Amino acid sequence: MCLSISTRTSTMALITFSGYPSSGKTRRANQLKEHLDRRLADPPYNDLRQTVAILSDDSLNVDRSSYKGTVPVLFPSLSNDVVDSRSEKLARATLFAAIQRQISPNTILIVDALNYIKGFRYQLYCAAREFKLRVCTVYVVATPELCKRWNIERLDDRGYSPETLDNLIARYEEPSSMVRWDSPLFTVPWSESDVPIELIWKAITEGNVKPPNAGTQAVPKAPSDALHTLEQVSTSLVRAIMAEQGASGVLGGHVALSLSETLKLQVTLPARSLTLSELQRMRRQFVTVQKKAITLGTVEKGMVDWSEEGVAQRFVDYLEENLRG
C-alpha cells in the first residue's frame, strides 16, 4: 500500500523560466522554490525525499559576455562588438548538460536562464519527455526599459553590457501557449507580486506525462558479432535446404532443418526444385536488408534479435514470403 501511495504522489518536473535579461527571472524562480519547498514539507510528500533545485548561469559560472552572439542587421552600430557565437552555444550546452545530470526521479528542476531561443526550449522539452517529466514554462514579462534600468541597478556585478542587453532583447523569441514545448505556459508580469503557485503546482503534480518520441530515444546498438552471425546462419540455412532437398528427393512442403545440435527449425518450401543460385540470391537480398538493421539498431517498430535463433527465424520467414508460388 505504501508503494502505491509513493508512486502516485512522487513528482518530478522540469520548469523552464524564460524572459528578457534582467527581467526578474531569478526573483520569480526563488519565489517558486520557496512555495514548492513548503508544499513538499507537508504530507504526503514529506516522507518521499522530494527536492527542488534551481539551475542558472550563475550557479554554473557562465559569464554574461557569453551571450553577445551575432548582432542582428537591425543594429549595425553594434557591429564592432560582434564576437563569435560559439561562446553562446557553449553556454547553452553547459546548461543543457547540467540539466541532464541533475534530473532525478524525485526532483523538481527549475531552469532559471534566458531560454530565449525556441529551439533550445524545444530541446529541453524533448529531454523532459525522454525522462518522463511533467513540464511547464514560466514567462517573466518586463518592458525593455525596465530591464535596462534593473540591469544598471544590479549590485552583484553580473549585469549585461548595454550592447549585449539590446542584442538579446532584439533576438528574444517569445514563448507561446500554442506550441507544445512551451505549454502549459504561465505569464508573470512585473506588476504581479508573486508567481501563480496553484496553477504551477497543479501542472507539475497532475499534468500529463508524455511518452518519449522516437526522436528522443537512444537507438539500441546491434552486438559486435551481429554481421558474423548473419552471414554464418544464412549460409548454413541455404546449405541445409539444399542438402535436405537432395537427400529426400521431396519437392516442397514442410521441411525440418537442423543447423546445429541446439538450432532446429522448420521451413515451408514451394512444390518445385530450388536451385543454389536462387537461394543464394535470396540470401544476399536478406543480408542486405539486415545490414541496415545492424546500422540503425531497429527494424520497423521492434528491436532486432541478433541471436542465431532470431536470425535463422527471420531468414526462414523471408524465404517463405519470397518463394511462394
Side-chain angles (χ1 to χ4, degrees), residues 203-274:
I204 64 174
T205 58
E206 301 178 18
N208 294 330
V209 179
K210 296 184 178 180
N213 57 35
T216 66
Q217 298 184 75
V219 177
K221 299 292 185 181
S224 57
D225 63 345
L227 183 58
H228 174 74
T229 301
L230 176 63
E231 294 282 357
Q232 185 180 51
V233 170
S234 60
T235 299
S236 297
L237 192 53
V238 167
R239 289 173 179 169
I241 291 174
M242 292 301 297
E244 180 64 25
Q245 186 176 254
S248 66
V250 177
L251 300 181
H254 297 288
V255 178
L257 302 176
S258 177
L259 302 189
S260 67
E261 291 184 359
T262 57
L263 182 51
K264 304 178 187 300
L265 64 161
Q266 287 196 343
V267 58
T268 302
L269 300 176
R272 60 183 175 85
S273 178
L274 299 175

Side-chain angles (χ1 to χ4, degrees), residues 57 60 62 66-67 69-70 85-100 111 113-121 123-124 168 171:
D57 286 342
L60 298 172
V62 175
S66 302
Y67 292 100
T70 303
S85 62
R86 284 177 296 182
S87 63
E88 187 172 314
K89 293 178 180 177
L90 179 60
R92 290 198 298 270
T94 299
L95 177 62
F96 186 70
I99 291 170
Q100 290 182 303
V111 184
L114 291 171
N115 301 320
Y116 62 100
I117 297 175
K118 61 183 179 182
F120 184 67
R121 295 197 299 270
Q123 187 178 7
L124 297 183
L168 287 170
R171 291 191 288 136

Side-chain angles (χ1 to χ4, degrees), residues 230-231 233-246 251-252 255 257 267-270 272-288 315-324:
L230 176 63
E231 294 282 357
V233 170
S234 60
T235 299
S236 297
L237 192 53
V238 167
R239 289 173 179 169
I241 291 174
M242 292 301 297
E244 180 64 25
Q245 186 176 254
L251 300 181
V255 178
L257 302 176
V267 58
T268 302
L269 300 176
R272 60 183 175 85
S273 178
L274 299 175
T275 65
L276 178 60
S277 60
E278 183 179 16
L279 290 176
Q280 290 286 29
R281 177 172 54 82
M282 291 290 179
R283 191 192 76 83
R284 287 193 297 269
Q285 292 172 352
F286 172 77
V287 168
T288 299
F315 189 28
V316 165
D317 294 341
Y318 184 85
L319 289 174
E320 291 179 342
E321 177 69 25
N322 290 276
L323 289 174
R324 288 177 182 174

Side-chain angles (χ1 to χ4, degrees), residues 35-185:
H35 286 299
L36 296 176
D37 282 337
R38 281 197 295 270
R39 299 218 171 185
L40 294 178
D42 295 330
Y45 298 95
N46 59 334
D47 62 342
L48 298 177
R49 289 182 291 183
Q50 305 269 160
T51 60
V52 183
I54 297 179
L55 270 180
S56 67
D57 286 342
D58 292 344
S59 67
L60 298 172
N61 295 316
V62 175
D63 194 89
R64 296 292 192 270
S65 63
S66 302
Y67 292 100
K68 282 186 178 181
T70 303
V71 176
V73 177
L74 294 176
F75 294 86
S77 61
L78 304 181
S79 58
N80 291 334
D81 296 297
V82 174
V83 297
D84 197 304
S85 62
R86 284 177 296 182
S87 63
E88 187 172 314
K89 293 178 180 177
L90 179 60
R92 290 198 298 270
T94 299
L95 177 62
F96 186 70
I99 291 170
Q100 290 182 303
R101 287 195 303 270
Q102 201 148 334
I103 286 175
S104 69
N106 292 311
T107 297
I108 300 173
L109 188 58
I110 299 172
V111 184
D112 170 26
L114 291 171
N115 301 320
Y116 62 100
I117 297 175
K118 61 183 179 182
F120 184 67
R121 295 197 299 270
Y122 176 72
Q123 187 178 7
L124 297 183
Y125 167 80
C126 290
R129 289 188 63 172
E130 183 177 353
F131 287 96
K132 299 180 180 179
L133 309 180
R134 293 185 175 91
V135 298
C136 71
T137 303
V138 179
Y139 178 24
V140 180
V141 177
T143 65
E145 291 72 23
L146 281 174
C147 293
K148 292 176 184 180
R149 191 182 84 194
W150 292 338
N151 185 64
I152 294 173
E153 294 173 352
R154 293 182 72 110
L155 302 176
D156 57 5
D157 296 323
R158 289 185 176 274
Y160 298 87
S161 70
E163 295 82 7
T164 299
L165 187 65
D166 286 339
N167 182 9
L168 287 170
I169 290 175
R171 291 191 288 136
Y172 184 76
E173 296 176 345
E174 184 176 326
S176 169
S177 60
M178 301 298 291
V179 297
R180 63 188 184 280
W181 57 87
D182 288 332
S183 299
L185 176 65

